[in-house]
Amino acid sequence: MQAAIRLSRRALTRKQGGPFGAVIVREGRIIARGWNQVIGTHDPTAHAEVVAIREACRKLRQFHLDDCVIYSSCEPCPMCLSAIYWARLGRVYYAATRSDAARIGFQDRTLYREIQLSPTRRQIPFHTLLREDARQVMQKWTEMEDHVEY
């Protein structure tokens, strides 16, 4: 956890994004590091946890991290939480809470609320187009004998 917090401090000095850091550990060794780089990369998905997950997957050449643990300087936002589940990390440790982040202006509350709403009731308009065309492609994927499940 100390390494994750050190990375959050580094983020402050580099002025690339918010004060957040994360490390991924496998077999007691740090294999990936990430800090918030949203501003520096112009990438709203460049949160500390996502950056660390990308690095770990690239290094291990796999997309599941079930034998790894992530340490984050703050409770993961909804996007990072989703990435953690997609990567199937084995465990999550965090320092500051989402309430602590909200006190300094990081409002994840809206995202948590929006996720629960029907797409037609969200703040950003969502519309379905060409559903049947997309479903046909999905069906073909399930019929492929060599498709990779994830």
Side-chain angles (χ1 to χ4, degrees), residues 71-102:
Y71 293 84
S72 179
S73 66
C74 188
E75 182 179 356
C77 75
M79 178 186 67
C80 293
L81 180 64
S82 297
I84 286 165
Y85 273 91
W86 280 116
R88 298 186 183 172
L89 279 147
R91 187 165 299 193
V92 179
Y93 294 98
Y94 61 91
T97 66
R98 69 174 94 164
S99 297
D100 298 326

Side-chain angles (χ1 to χ4, degrees), residues 78 98 107-119 121-123:
R98 69 174 94 164
Q107 296 292 338
D108 298 338
R109 191 175 317 134
T110 301
L111 296 174
Y112 282 109
R113 188 173 49 246
E114 288 283 304
I115 288 169
Q116 296 176 20
L117 295 174
S118 157
R121 300 193 60 215
R122 293 182 180 149
Q123 290 178 16

Side-chain angles (χ1 to χ4, degrees), residues 34-109:
W35 57 90
N36 187 292
Q37 299 175 37
V38 169
I39 296 167
T41 61
H42 308 288
D43 178 355
T45 68
H47 289 202
E49 296 90 341
V50 172
V51 171
I53 288 169
R54 288 175 181 161
E55 182 181 335
C57 290
R58 187 171 44 256
K59 278 185 176 176
L60 298 176
R61 301 177 63 101
Q62 62 191 47
F63 51 85
H64 287 159
L65 302 172
D66 50 350
D67 60 345
C68 298
V69 176
I70 189 166
Y71 293 84
S72 179
S73 66
C74 188
E75 182 179 356
C77 75
M79 178 186 67
C80 293
L81 180 64
S82 297
I84 286 165
Y85 273 91
W86 280 116
R88 298 186 183 172
L89 279 147
R91 187 165 299 193
V92 179
Y93 294 98
Y94 61 91
T97 66
R98 69 174 94 164
S99 297
D100 298 326
R103 281 189 207 96
I104 63 167
F106 291 90
Q107 296 292 338
D108 298 338
R109 191 175 317 134

